Amino acid sequence: MGTLAALWSATVHSRPGSPFLTFLSRSGESNTWSYRQFDQIVELTAGRLHRLGVGKGDAVHLNLRNSPAFIMCLLACSRLGAWIVSTDPGSAARQISEQISRTQPRVGVVGVDRRSAYHTGVALSDLPNLTVIEVSEDEPDTLAGSPLYFDGRTAGRRAAAEVVPEDRLAVVFTPGADERQRAVVLTQGNYARTARLAAKLAELRPEHRWFITLPLFHPHSQLRSLASAVVRGASVVLAGEFSASTWQAQARRTEVTHAALFAAPMRMVLARSPAGAQPLTLEHVWLTAGVDAEQSGRFARLVGTTPQAVFGTPETCSLITCGDGAIGDALGRPIPGRPAYLADPESREPVPAGTIGSIAMTGRRGVELFAGYLDEPLATAERFFDFDGRSWFDTGILARELPAGSWQRITSSDRIVQVSGVDVSLPEVAARIEGMPSVATAVVAAVPHDIRDHELEVFVVPSRADDAPTCAELTAWAEVNLAPAARPARWRVVPESPRTPAPLGSEQSPTRL
């Protein structure tokens, strides 16, 4: 089974001079490091974290954009036997506070331009004196004098722990069906197992280059792209931020062969690609969430290959189905070697083809499936059930089998929608808004959007009619208390809760808790 730490060490030993990372900064500059060079950087980072008290079993809270610093911290924690708390860099202070209180990290690492919100979150947490490292999220983090470096190079080597597959490597916060976010625990074994499988599915070879523009804080990018590149000794081209207008030029300049996108960014790339542009020559593209046939065809002509569907949740290590194109709500077919079926939500029996069922997957906890929800054994147990002599995980995602054998996603049974490729829990958003003293009731609707998948529209009933919050006040509150994807695009202050589906063509009825 192995560990991410062992995979990294093996590749550094076998391909030391091969390019590992090319970073495209937000300023447009680029830098490249070989496996050997980046391993030296990881060793210095491990020494720094160890000097600050990070050892086996300890957590490091990361609030980082795509950057060398993120990969440095992930690989350093892997070497130390520690684990990262992988969070959205746009997290509001309240979310940061909750995450730190629940995970009790030894150290926090944040981009310097977000230090104000981060330090506010730390002050509100159970660890107000948490040690915080502020980084540039750019090349200076890899140079002499970096806040992530400890001068004694051998310190990182001495601090390396004996790591086993069962060791925790990451905790990822995901939307829950209530206001409490679920914290998904992933192990060293999860990373190693998924890396090998993703590399096989993408037909990855050492000469290939993964283009990572999706956020690294999400396990999809870490497992499917970054870790799979490591297992094959391939290269990674990492963009500091996603830019639809420059995506094609960046891909051409760096000669990438593999890429992955959500549907919303893909549509943005199409909208901003110049007419008559020379096609790219990519060999493989994964698309999370489908698009219509016309968009898929245009994108295939743009990149030189037909995008393939891929689907998974953090609990399933980001891989359940893949292949068969990415049209509409297509999920592809179950991946060989990862048993999954569509279960009747009540009887747990397999449903007939064409009938809606809940996607269930079996596997070993901490290997094919996540280890569990952090400190929530009951919540973990509730998602597992026994059938046909095996234990299965219920994803809560509804789908049906099409005549050709592929699966089509219907919706999420716990009312989670995608906003710009990010899962957002409608009940959680409503619960957070209803926590405001000036709000009696919040009704949240997901409105389809051509570029962002969905936008949120919220109807607010004030606690007092003579002291109702304004839309500007609600927007300002959301900037502090909600993650970017969860911030409503429109607010409406109304005297009573709507009793009919939301206007503007919403595909879902408003959610009232």
Side-chain angles (χ1 to χ4, degrees):
M1 178 169 53
T3 65
L4 179 63
L7 291 179
W8 172 257
S9 295
T11 302
V12 169
H13 178 74
S14 63
R15 300 183 62 83
S18 297
F20 165 58
L21 175 66
T22 296
F23 178 62
L24 308 178
S25 70
R26 294 191 295 276
S27 65
E29 298 179 356
S30 64
N31 294 277
T32 299
W33 297 267
S34 69
Y35 274 92
R36 180 196 293 113
Q37 289 170 329
F38 208 81
D39 185 60
Q40 293 169 347
I41 292 172
V42 170
E43 187 174 308
L44 293 172
T45 304
R48 171 67 166 155
L49 294 177
H50 183 68
R51 184 80 169 185
L52 294 174
V54 177
K56 185 167 184 175
D58 292 323
V60 176
H61 187 272
L62 302 184
N63 188 260
L64 296 173
R65 294 191 182 101
N66 285 10
S67 59
F70 189 105
I71 302 176
M72 291 157 62
C73 290
L74 171 62
L75 293 174
C77 284
S78 175
R79 176 172 294 181
L80 294 171
W83 47 284
I84 65 168
V85 184
S86 185
T87 67
D88 186 342
S91 296
R94 174 178 170 177
Q95 291 177 305
I96 293 167
S97 171
E98 292 174 355
Q99 294 161 1
I100 290 173
S101 295
R102 290 176 62 183
T103 59
Q104 298 289 297
R106 289 279 188 178
V107 176
V109 186
V110 64
V112 67
D113 62 343
R114 297 182 307 285
R115 60 185 170 188
S116 177
Y118 194 82
H119 283 286
T120 299
V122 170
L124 295 172
S125 75
D126 293 345
L127 295 175
N129 297 317
L130 176 70
T131 298
V132 176
I133 301 175
E134 298 176 0
V135 298
S136 69
E137 299 175 305
D138 210 329
E139 183 193 11
D141 297 330
T142 69
L143 303 177
S146 166
L148 285 172
Y149 282 3
F150 177 62
D151 291 337
R153 173 163 292 182
T154 59
R157 194 177 307 133
R158 292 197 306 269
E162 182 179 347
V163 177
V164 297
E166 295 78 17
D167 286 340
R168 183 183 299 170
L169 181 53
V171 165
V172 182
F173 283 89
T174 66
D178 52 32
E179 68 271 21
R180 181 177 174 85
Q181 288 186 310
R182 295 285 182 236
V184 176
V185 177
L186 300 175
T187 68
Q188 290 264 358
N190 285 142
Y191 275 73
R193 179 81 172 192
T194 307
R196 292 190 178 96
L197 178 58
K200 179 181 179 180
L201 294 172
E203 299 180 337
L204 199 63
R205 300 190 302 273
E207 66 268 21
H208 285 152
R209 293 186 178 185
W210 261 114
F211 189 22
I212 301 180
T213 55
L214 297 180
L216 264 182
F217 74 82
H218 200 290
H220 290 349
S221 294
Q222 296 175 41
L223 294 165
R224 295 176 188 162
S225 302
L226 177 62
S228 70
V230 170
V231 78
R232 287 287 192 265
S235 302
V236 169
V237 176
L238 178 67
E241 64 179 0
F242 171 77
S243 170
S245 59
T246 62
W247 187 90
Q248 189 178 4
Q250 290 175 332
R252 189 185 312 281
R253 175 163 60 94
T254 56
E255 300 180 325
V256 297
T257 58
H258 289 54
L261 287 171
F262 294 134
M266 191 221 74
R267 287 191 287 264
M268 294 170 66
V269 170
L270 284 176
R272 290 164 174 77
S273 293
Q278 183 179 355
L280 299 171
T281 57
L282 271 65
E283 297 183 26
H284 181 90
V285 174
W286 265 333
L287 192 60
T288 301
V291 294
D292 63 40
E294 188 273 337
Q295 291 171 332
S296 179
R298 287 174 56 202
F299 194 71
R301 291 189 293 273
L302 182 70
V303 300
T305 188
T306 301
Q308 298 296 307
V310 63
F311 172 73
T313 65
E315 293 94 335
T316 62
C317 302
S318 301
L319 286 175
I320 302 176
T321 59
C322 72
D324 281 1
I327 307 299
D329 294 317
L331 299 178
R333 300 168 184 265
I335 296 169
R338 293 176 77 82
Y341 78 102
L342 301 180
D344 183 285
E346 295 182 359
S347 70
R348 304 299 190 185
E349 292 285 336
V351 299
T355 303
I356 296 175
S358 182
I359 297 176
M361 179 178 162
T362 191
R364 293 166 291 176
R365 297 257 297 271
V367 184
E368 293 88 6
L369 295 172
F370 74 131
Y373 294 117
L374 181 68
D375 298 330
E376 292 191 274
L378 293 179
T380 302
E382 287 172 356
R383 299 300 293 269
F384 284 87
F385 64 91
D386 292 329
F387 177 74
D388 196 27
R390 288 187 284 185
S391 178
W392 298 79
F393 174 73
D394 183 359
T395 66
I397 306 294
L398 300 180
R400 63 183 166 204
E401 183 179 340
L402 299 176
S406 61
W407 288 0
Q408 176 189 43
R409 181 170 180 168
I410 305 301
T411 184
S412 175
S413 60
D414 47 9
R415 301 192 61 84
I416 294 174
V417 301
Q418 284 207 335
V419 178
S420 296
V422 178
D423 286 340
V424 174
S425 168
L426 301 186
E428 180 185 350
V429 174
R432 287 186 179 275
I433 296 170
E434 288 181 342
M436 298 178 65
S438 60
V439 174
T441 303
V443 178
V444 183
V447 182
H449 190 272
D450 289 342
I451 299 297
R452 303 185 68 212
D453 298 317
H454 294 91
E455 287 187 335
L456 301 190
E457 182 168 7
V458 180
F459 296 79
V460 169
V461 179
S463 300
R464 291 176 48 192
D466 61 347
D467 190 26
T470 65
C471 292
E473 290 171 338
L474 292 167
T475 297
W477 175 89
E479 290 288 332
V480 175
N481 292 277
L482 296 175
R487 293 169 191 166
R490 288 173 294 280
W491 298 88
R492 300 194 183 187
V493 180
V494 295
E496 61 181 17
S497 297
R499 297 179 182 275
T500 57
L504 304 179
S506 173
E507 67 180 21
Q508 300 195 36
S509 299
T511 294
R512 168 72 188 274
L513 299 186

